[in-house]
Amino acid sequence: MAKLLDSNDVKQYNLTIGKSLPEWLDEKKRRRALKKDIDINRRIELIQDFSMPAVSNNIKISKDGNFILASGTYKPRVRCYDVHDLGLKFERCVDSEIVTFRLLSEDYSKIVFLRCNRYIEFHAQHGRYYEFRIPRFGRDFEYQPSTCELLFVGSGSEIIRLNLEQGRFLNPMITNASSNLGINKCAINPQHESMVIVGNAEGR
């Protein structure tokens, strides 16, 4: 627990002092104590072990707001942190570096990883579920809920479509991007899911 001090518009966090509530208090007494004591109400609680051994290149928050997931480079891994328990929920290692990932469910129970060696890895709540290769090296992907498709972009000019309901690749979407440069990013318009936005290194 940390205490926040504000002097001359400069915020200082003191991690060694501050009041804490006894663990044995029931929920009703805990809420009452939080309302009465200003110091306890203004406290900051930190997630324990919120770090990566080397470098973390992706971080995502689950839709329900209860979990934070981060992927690291060496050795390739993903860590899941529980926001309510303020600690590490689980850690899983993968075979190669994770380029990016998406959470398909409200929590951490359905995750898709795009790895640097063209492999896509599906994880369920218990761990790794399935993996396969895509035709080109991927740089980014999105999930389109209305069609139940994963859309991958990367070293080519087309958008690779994988239908999860049918379990097969569909005809790719053709773009006017240069096949030499490829496509770096893709996004789906949240208002109109049929609108897919892509971008390359030239800013197009």
Side-chain angles (χ1 to χ4, degrees):
M1 184 170 64
K3 187 171 182 180
L4 173 63
L5 303 171
D6 197 352
S7 60
N8 298 330
D9 294 330
V10 176
K11 292 183 178 180
Q12 301 171 359
Y13 297 94
N14 192 330
L15 303 179
T16 58
I17 64 169
K19 295 181 180 179
S20 62
L21 289 170
E23 294 292 327
W24 48 265
L25 279 180
D26 63 8
E27 193 62 34
K28 191 175 182 181
K29 289 180 180 177
R30 187 178 293 269
R31 280 196 302 262
R32 197 178 308 134
L34 284 174
K35 285 180 184 175
K36 289 180 182 176
D37 199 323
I38 296 170
D39 288 337
I40 291 177
N41 207 12
R42 293 184 65 200
R43 77 193 187 286
I44 296 171
E45 294 181 307
L46 303 176
I47 297 175
Q48 300 299 312
D49 300 322
F50 196 61
S51 63
M52 212 43 94
V55 176
S56 177
N57 50 9
N58 288 295
I59 188 163
K60 305 231 185 288
I61 300 172
S62 64
K63 290 176 186 174
D64 61 9
N66 294 329
F67 303 98
I68 300 172
L69 285 93
S71 65
T73 55
Y74 186 79
K75 65 185 184 179
R77 71 186 77 211
V78 62
R79 286 183 171 179
C80 177
Y81 298 92
D82 193 320
V83 174
H84 294 298
D85 293 338
L86 298 174
L88 181 67
K89 186 162 186 69
F90 66 82
E91 178 182 50
R92 296 175 188 163
C93 292
V94 293
D95 295 335
S96 57
E97 187 178 329
I98 297 168
V99 176
T100 187
F101 66 93
R102 295 285 179 271
L103 296 152
L104 302 186
S105 59
E106 295 290 318
D107 55 4
Y108 66 91
S109 59
K110 292 179 185 175
I111 315 169
V112 182
F113 297 102
L114 171 62
R115 295 185 353 219
C116 66
N117 59 353
R118 287 176 38 197
Y119 271 92
I120 306 303
E121 195 169 308
F122 290 87
H123 281 231
Q125 196 164 4
H126 58 80
R128 184 161 73 175
Y129 178 72
Y130 188 72
E131 69 175 15
F132 67 93
R133 282 183 96 171
I134 56 174
R136 294 181 178 273
F137 287 100
R139 296 177 188 165
D140 195 19
F141 76 99
E142 276 294 343
Y143 174 62
Q144 195 170 27
S146 60
T147 58
C148 197
E149 289 179 15
L150 291 175
L151 307 174
F152 299 96
V153 296
S155 57
S157 60
E158 69 274 354
I159 301 169
I160 300 167
R161 298 166 59 205
L162 172 68
N163 190 293
L164 297 179
E165 211 168 39
Q166 300 174 24
R168 66 186 181 98
F169 288 103
L170 303 178
N171 291 331
M173 295 180 190
I174 307 301
T175 69
N176 59 0
S178 167
S179 57
N180 296 331
L181 292 174
I183 302 171
N184 293 338
K185 285 287 179 187
C186 71
I188 292 175
N189 187 325
Q191 307 301 325
H192 307 283
E193 284 185 13
S194 58
M195 186 181 292
V196 181
I197 303 154
V198 296
N200 62 14
E202 292 180 320
R204 297 181 182 175

